Amino acid sequence: MTAADRLAALETLDAAILCERAETALAALVEVMNRETTFLRAGHMKQASALTAEKTQLAQDYVTIARAVQRASDRLKAEAPERVETLRRGHEALATQMAENLRVLATAKSVTESLLGEVAQKMQQQNTPKTYGAPGPNPQKATPSVSGLSINKAL
């Protein structure tokens, strides 16, 4: 079944069932984003990154259902206006949650990069020879004995 077929099948669902599926997908996505944000705030990068695949799948599911809801919006507004309003509020809450999640992700990335940069700098300083010339300490740079520092920027 193609993506277009799945979308068409979703659009033809009963209004209450389509809204229920959208609410379920929305709640699951918000829940995993909350867990990820909590892990990131606590500095548990490994646990947060373990949620990436689940979050990606849930986001794809939600986008597919949201498209179906959007394409069937006139019918849904007529048949289940209160459910549509609930979905609208839920979508607004998701947007707020996504903004917070992205802010925390950006902060975690910035802190990680800063720490790794400091570690690399300290490692290089430790490997600089301490020599003295006529005017005092020799300012020349030594050839680096540390061949490199690998950084995974997946976050």
Side-chain angles (χ1 to χ4, degrees), residues 53-128:
E54 180 183 4
K55 183 174 83 167
T56 300
Q57 184 60 55
L58 290 170
Q60 289 172 346
D61 293 346
Y62 177 70
V63 167
T64 299
I65 293 172
R67 283 187 185 144
V69 167
Q70 185 178 25
R71 289 173 58 159
S73 65
D74 290 338
R75 179 174 66 87
L76 295 176
K77 286 176 187 174
E79 294 176 17
E82 65 287 340
R83 299 292 293 266
V84 171
E85 181 59 25
T86 300
L87 280 175
R88 187 192 63 73
R89 285 192 309 270
H91 184 74
E92 288 174 359
L94 174 64
T96 301
Q97 175 61 36
M98 286 176 73
E100 176 65 11
N101 184 264
L102 289 172
R103 186 186 67 73
V104 171
L105 279 169
T107 300
K109 180 180 180 201
S110 175
V111 167
T112 300
E113 287 178 351
S114 177
L115 287 172
L116 289 173
E118 288 178 25
V119 167
Q121 185 179 32
K122 292 291 184 190
M123 288 174 65
Q124 184 59 40
Q125 285 176 354
Q126 289 176 353
N127 293 316
T128 303

Side-chain angles (χ1 to χ4, degrees), residues 27-37 51 54-55 58:
L29 181 56
V30 167
E31 191 275 329
V32 79
M33 288 178 69
N34 280 333
R35 280 192 292 149
E36 181 184 51
T37 301
L51 297 173
E54 180 183 4
K55 183 174 83 167
L58 290 170

Side-chain angles (χ1 to χ4, degrees), residues 10-57:
L10 283 170
E11 286 177 48
T12 60
L13 288 175
D14 176 72
I17 293 172
L18 179 55
C19 288
E20 182 181 330
R21 285 193 183 178
E23 290 168 10
T24 300
L26 177 63
L29 181 56
V30 167
E31 191 275 329
V32 79
M33 288 178 69
N34 280 333
R35 280 192 292 149
E36 181 184 51
T37 301
T38 301
F39 283 139
L40 289 170
R41 281 190 180 132
H44 300 285
M45 303 302 176
K46 190 177 262 188
Q47 291 92 332
S49 64
L51 297 173
T52 300
E54 180 183 4
K55 183 174 83 167
T56 300
Q57 184 60 55

